[in-house]
């Protein structure tokens, strides 16, 4: 097995099972060397907790990058998740140029919105900057709300195949390369993921769990990235990540007290086995 090295840039929400506390264990389980660049340190994530603390680390990022450049450190891939500000997005674009290794892949989860709404920390200026990053990346993993933000298309809770087709075509017209559009479901019992590549579109459908869960976008994106870096195709990686994420949600739904994230850790053996198939 080829040993590959990735950098992931996202926040540390100390409690809450999202962003780096999810990406690092999942990528490590996939057998990928994972370097991290924390964009901010928060006491918890912002979706449901109140009174959280937040230390923005934007000012530290250029010095960290400069040190890596001096050491000649490069990466096979850079994967970004929740970023704290438009300035951080600019810095990530610089990282794509200056820290890329041979056969480099840039993967952007434009984590900024869900269920038709932007997360509390973001505004239109952030969305506009995120567009420039997403359309430069090799692979993007938006949910439908984020895809609407990136294309200025109206968000619809009830939609049909024509709406999804228009969304994907708009993303592609704006420069998107491989698009992994998550949370695409046409009936009550199922949902799925659209894998849209320049010459090929495939849909992976799986069971839908009615109750929404926090952090599942990060679990999904990290599991996708781990599988992709292990040499799976985009479609295989998208399917493995979907099956893993569904199992993580199923492992959590019955526990009312565990509202803030999913219990993804006990399901890692399933993920590792799926990668070895
Ligand atoms: O899961 C995305 C995410 C990551 N980081 C922080 C968040 C959220 C979602 O709300 O608040 C800080």
């Amino acid at each position: 097995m080829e040993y590959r090295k990735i950098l992931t840039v996202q926040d540390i929400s100390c409690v809450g099972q999202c962003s780096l506390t999810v990406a690092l264990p999942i990528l490590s389980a996939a057998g990928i060397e994972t370097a991290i660049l924390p964009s901010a340190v928060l006491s918890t994530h912002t979706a449901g907790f109140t009174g959280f603390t937040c230390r923005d680390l934007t000012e530290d990022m250029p010095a960290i990058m400069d040190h890596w450049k001096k050491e000649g450190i490069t990466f096979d891939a850079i994967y970004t998740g929740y970023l704290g500000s438009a300035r951080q997005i600019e810095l990530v674009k610089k990282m794509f140029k200056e820290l890329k290794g041979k056969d480099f892949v840039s993967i952007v989860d434009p984590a900024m919105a869900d269920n038709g709404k932007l997360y509390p920390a973001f505004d239109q200026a952030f969305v506009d900057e995120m567009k420039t990053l997403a359309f430069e990346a090799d692979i993007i993993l938006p949910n439908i709300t984020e895809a609407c933000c990136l294309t200025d298309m109206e968000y619809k809770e009830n939609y049909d195949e024509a709406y999804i087709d228009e969304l994907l075509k708009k993303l592609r017209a704006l420069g998107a390369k491989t698009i992994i559009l998550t949370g695409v479901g046409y009936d009550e019992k199922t949902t799925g993921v659209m894998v849209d590549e320049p010459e090929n579109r495939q849909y992976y459908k799986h069971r839908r769990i009615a109750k929404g869960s926090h952090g599942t976008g990060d679990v999904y994106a990290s599991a996708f990235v781990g599988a992709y870096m292990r040499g799976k195709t985009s479609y295989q990686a998208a399917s493995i990540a979907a099956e893993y994420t569904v199992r993580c949600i199923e492992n959590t739904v019955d526990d009312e007290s565990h509202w803030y994230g999913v219990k993804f850790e006990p399901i890692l053996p399933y993920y590792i086995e799926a990668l070895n198939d």
Side-chain angles (χ1 to χ4, degrees):
M1 187 178 95
E2 201 189 341
Y3 186 64
R4 308 192 75 195
K5 182 165 65 174
I6 191 168
L7 168 67
T8 182
V9 188
Q10 37 192 318
D11 71 279
I12 296 180
S13 289
C14 298
V15 169
Q17 286 172 310
C18 69
S19 40
L20 277 182
T21 66
V22 162
L24 186 52
I26 291 178
L27 289 166
S28 299
I32 314 298
E33 179 182 345
T34 307
I36 59 167
L37 209 178
S39 54
V41 179
L42 294 89
S43 51
T44 63
H45 64 59
T46 67
F49 293 102
T50 50
F52 46 84
T53 70
C54 179
R55 181 169 302 275
D56 184 293
L57 297 178
T58 308
E59 294 315 310
D60 296 83
M61 291 167 82
I64 292 172
M65 263 173 78
D66 286 347
H67 180 216
W68 289 345
K69 274 166 55 190
K70 273 198 197 107
E71 293 286 337
I73 294 167
T74 60
F75 301 98
D76 299 311
I78 297 181
Y79 150 45
T80 69
Y82 189 101
L83 298 170
S85 61
R87 165 94 179 111
Q88 285 186 357
I89 295 177
E90 246 174 68
L91 289 168
V92 165
K93 286 195 277 184
K94 199 157 176 252
M95 282 172 216
F96 284 177
K97 289 197 184 75
E98 298 181 7
L99 299 174
K100 68 172 181 202
K102 205 161 69 61
D103 302 323
F104 176 75
V105 187
S106 54
I107 305 167
V108 170
D109 175 1
M112 59 184 169
D114 206 358
N115 301 313
K117 280 199 235 83
L118 273 182
Y119 292 148
F122 300 131
D123 57 14
Q124 189 56 41
F126 182 86
V127 174
D128 289 342
E129 194 67 31
M130 184 57 87
K131 289 177 185 171
T132 67
L133 182 67
F135 298 134
E136 187 177 305
D138 296 311
I139 303 179
I140 54 170
L141 296 117
N143 58 35
I144 293 178
T145 308
E146 288 156 351
C148 288
C149 292
L150 294 174
T151 54
D152 296 314
M153 236 172 93
E154 186 198 349
Y155 173 77
K156 285 190 187 162
E157 214 160 296
N158 298 307
Y159 51 81
D160 56 11
E161 291 183 20
Y163 175 80
I164 296 299
D165 181 55
E166 190 185 348
L167 199 49
L168 288 169
K169 282 191 176 138
K170 280 207 169 133
L171 284 168
R172 185 160 302 289
L174 288 162
K177 291 159 198 90
T178 294
I179 306 160
I180 313 291
L181 183 65
T182 59
V184 180
Y186 300 109
D187 61 64
E188 267 172 34
K189 290 222 165 78
T190 67
T191 184
V193 48
M194 277 287 182
V195 179
D196 192 72
E197 294 171 293
E199 305 298 331
N200 194 20
R201 186 185 293 176
Q202 283 171 286
Y203 180 53
Y204 185 77
K205 187 157 98 166
H206 56 85
R207 57 202 179 281
R208 182 203 291 266
I209 296 133
K211 198 171 147 207
S213 306
H214 289 302
T216 49
D218 299 345
V219 169
Y220 182 84
S222 302
F224 171 88
V225 173
Y228 186 80
M229 293 301 286
R230 277 283 293 274
K232 304 290 181 193
T233 64
S234 297
Y235 181 73
Q236 287 169 334
S239 331
I240 291 170
E243 289 298 330
Y244 173 61
T245 307
V246 168
R247 282 165 177 74
C248 294
I249 300 170
E250 284 170 340
N251 190 44
T252 313
V253 277
D254 294 335
D255 184 350
E256 289 281 318
S257 68
H258 205 98
W259 58 269
Y260 50 84
V262 290
K263 300 175 184 173
F264 68 95
E265 306 87 348
I267 319 298
L268 282 170
Y270 166 84
Y271 176 60
I272 294 168
E273 208 163 293
L275 293 179
N276 288 327
D277 276 350

